[in-house]
């Protein structure tokens, strides 16, 4: 039986929400990435630190060990959108992961707008993936749970095909 791993970074809980729903729907394992130095969670400083790191290509040190991907056939990676790009901790993970022989997909959460650029950036950084499965983007999933759950259900159906 094929195994799936969901690897994600969540600052405010939106990506946690999506990862938990997705994990339940797919019976998938999860790995929540944490950074050694935590990002601020409130106010303008949150946007300044996160956006600056992302735009400058900074890859923060991860506290979470990168898991062994060998038992998994499918890897799904989730990131919040920061300055139209994946959150910096996900870029750290992508820079250090090898997806040889793996099917890889992605999901994003933003407060508004499209996550398409973020999805494209993550896909272009999935080294050696055997297949990139189109991902999905949700807007403010903790406040718009019905829309998020529909996007998740649609994505799960795509994976089952």
């Amino acid at each position: 039986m094929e195994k799936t791993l969901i690897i994600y970074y969540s600052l405010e809980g939106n990506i946690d929400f999506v990862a938990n729903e997705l994990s339940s729907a797919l019976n998938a394992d999860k790995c929540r990435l944490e950074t050694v130095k935590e990002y601020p969670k409130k106010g303008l400083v949150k946007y300044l630190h996160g956006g600056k790191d992302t735009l400058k290509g900074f890859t923060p040190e991860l506290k979470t060990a990168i898991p062994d991907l060998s038992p998994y056939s499918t890897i799904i990676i989730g990131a919040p959108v920061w300055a139209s790009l994946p959150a910096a901790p996900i870029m750290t993970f992508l820079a250090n992961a090898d997806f040889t022989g793996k099917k890889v997909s992605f999901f994003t959460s933003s407060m508004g707008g499209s996550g398409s650029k973020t999805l494209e950036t993550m896909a272009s950084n999935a080294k050696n993936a055997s297949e990139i499965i189109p991902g999905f983007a949700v807007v403010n999933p903790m406040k718009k749970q019905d829309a998020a759950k529909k996007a998740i259900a649609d994505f799960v159906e795509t994976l089952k095909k």
Side-chain angles (χ1 to χ4, degrees):
M1 183 172 167
E2 291 191 0
K3 288 182 71 175
T4 300
L5 175 64
I6 301 167
I7 298 175
Y8 64 100
Y9 174 78
S10 186
L11 184 64
E12 296 179 311
N14 285 295
I15 291 291
D16 282 317
F17 174 83
V18 178
N20 289 333
E21 292 288 323
L22 201 51
S23 175
S24 293
L26 295 170
N27 193 29
D29 294 338
K30 295 182 300 184
C31 175
R32 185 181 195 276
L33 299 176
E34 294 183 31
T35 54
V36 170
K37 183 178 178 187
E38 290 187 25
Y39 282 93
K41 291 185 168 84
K42 295 187 189 253
L44 183 60
V45 71
K46 170 181 79 170
Y47 297 105
L48 291 174
H49 282 281
K52 174 184 61 79
D53 283 359
T54 299
L55 290 171
K56 290 188 176 233
F58 176 71
T59 51
E61 184 179 355
L62 297 177
K63 183 177 3 179
T64 310
I66 293 179
D68 176 12
L69 303 181
S70 64
Y72 302 97
S73 59
T74 304
I75 311 295
I76 303 170
I77 303 163
V81 176
W82 290 359
S84 298
L85 295 166
I90 287 297
M91 296 309 292
T92 300
F93 168 72
L94 289 169
N96 292 290
D98 181 2
F99 300 106
T100 300
K102 308 294 179 194
K103 294 183 274 186
V104 182
S105 191
F106 310 92
F107 64 94
T108 67
S109 168
S110 66
M111 296 311 279
S114 168
S116 60
K117 181 178 177 185
T118 304
L119 292 169
E120 290 171 15
T121 299
M122 289 193 292
S124 69
N125 282 277
K127 295 179 285 209
N128 302 320
S130 65
E131 179 183 354
I132 300 291
I133 300 166
F136 66 100
V138 293
V139 175
N140 208 355
M142 289 175 33
K143 289 188 178 174
K144 299 178 180 182
Q145 291 187 12
D146 289 342
K149 287 179 181 182
K150 174 154 182 12
I152 292 163
D154 290 348
F155 176 73
V156 168
E157 285 304 311
T158 300
L159 285 180
K160 291 179 179 178
K161 292 179 183 176

